Structures are given as C-alpha cells and as structure tokens.
Amino acid sequence: DNDFNYRKLCIATVLLQRNPGAILVATNRDAYDLVGYDARHLPGNGALVSAVEAASGRTAINVGKPSSVLAEWMMEEYNLNMGETMMVGDRLDTDVKFGNSGGMKSALVLTGCTTRKEMEELILKVEKDTEGEQQKDMVPTIIFPHVGYMAMGQ
C-alpha cells in the first residue's frame, strides 16, 4: 500500500481489537523494495506488517514467500513435483529460502534486490559457519547474472 499512513494503521488496529477471532494475514515480509535508477531501498510490505503487529499486539501469518503454506498449495494446485521444480527470484530471504525450504531447486538472479557482494558474504558466512547454519537455506542452487542466461542452454 503506497498510501499507508497513521490513519490506516489505527483502523487496522481497531478492527483487530474488535474482532479477536480475525486472522492477520501478510502476503509477504519483504523488508524493502528497490526503487529508481540508483536502487534506493524503500520500505517494503514487511515494514507495514511489522507496524500493524506492533500496534495491535497480534502476529501475522505469512502466506507468501517463504511460507510453507504457499509451497504446499502450489504443489497441490498445480500437481508439482517439488524435486523437479525451480524457484527463480532476486531475493535470498524470500525467493531462494522459499525454494530451498519447499524442497525445490533455487536460482538467484543478480538483477534485483540481492547484490553479488551480499551473495559472496552469505557464502563466506555459511562456509565459515559464522551465523551460517541459520542461513544455509538462503544459498541458491545456481546463480545467474541476469534472466537471459537461463535461456542460453536452449
């Protein structure tokens, strides 16, 4: 919601207070989005979800990436064999983690949110085991500089 504001936060909080049985659902928890030619980090949906959670005292259920709920639904709805499926994306914390934790292969494309430097730092952490154990599920099966490389083998 590009027009999220204090008024909307108040409305969401009051509605959740008045409806204790209502479920707070998040479609994603992306911390930021890249905007503009200089790739500025602007708050993503995760910032808005956190604001509603803090104000309401409730915890959202994430049904988007990397949710297992979404992976299970995709498997059933499209009759997918997760071992033969690849998740392609530009974020380590959502796209790659979603693929890996869902039993899929994962491909990282370096033309979006994740930079080559961030990927290298993650690999070093995992190899040295400095916080790496917690982040193994964010290491992709394969890395592409851009989406066009995926079609080169055809």
Side-chain angles (χ1 to χ4, degrees), residues 39-56:
R40 291 174 301 237
H41 287 209
L42 295 184
N45 195 56
L48 308 182
V49 171
S50 292
V52 173
E53 286 179 328
S56 68

Side-chain angles (χ1 to χ4, degrees), residues 30-63:
D30 294 351
Y32 63 88
D33 293 314
L34 296 180
V35 177
Y37 67 91
D38 56 350
R40 291 174 301 237
H41 287 209
L42 295 184
N45 195 56
L48 308 182
V49 171
S50 292
V52 173
E53 286 179 328
S56 68
R58 302 277 285 279
T59 301
I61 296 170
N62 183 24
V63 297

Side-chain angles (χ1 to χ4, degrees), residues 60-95:
I61 296 170
N62 183 24
V63 297
K65 298 173 294 185
S67 169
S68 61
V69 172
L70 180 59
E72 291 166 11
W73 176 82
M74 285 173 48
M75 186 172 53
E76 290 175 23
E77 182 71 16
Y78 296 102
N79 197 27
L80 298 176
N81 176 340
M82 291 311 218
E84 295 176 0
T85 303
M86 178 176 281
M87 175 63 196
V88 179
D90 67 341
R91 297 182 85 106
L92 295 171
D93 60 339
T94 55
D95 302 324

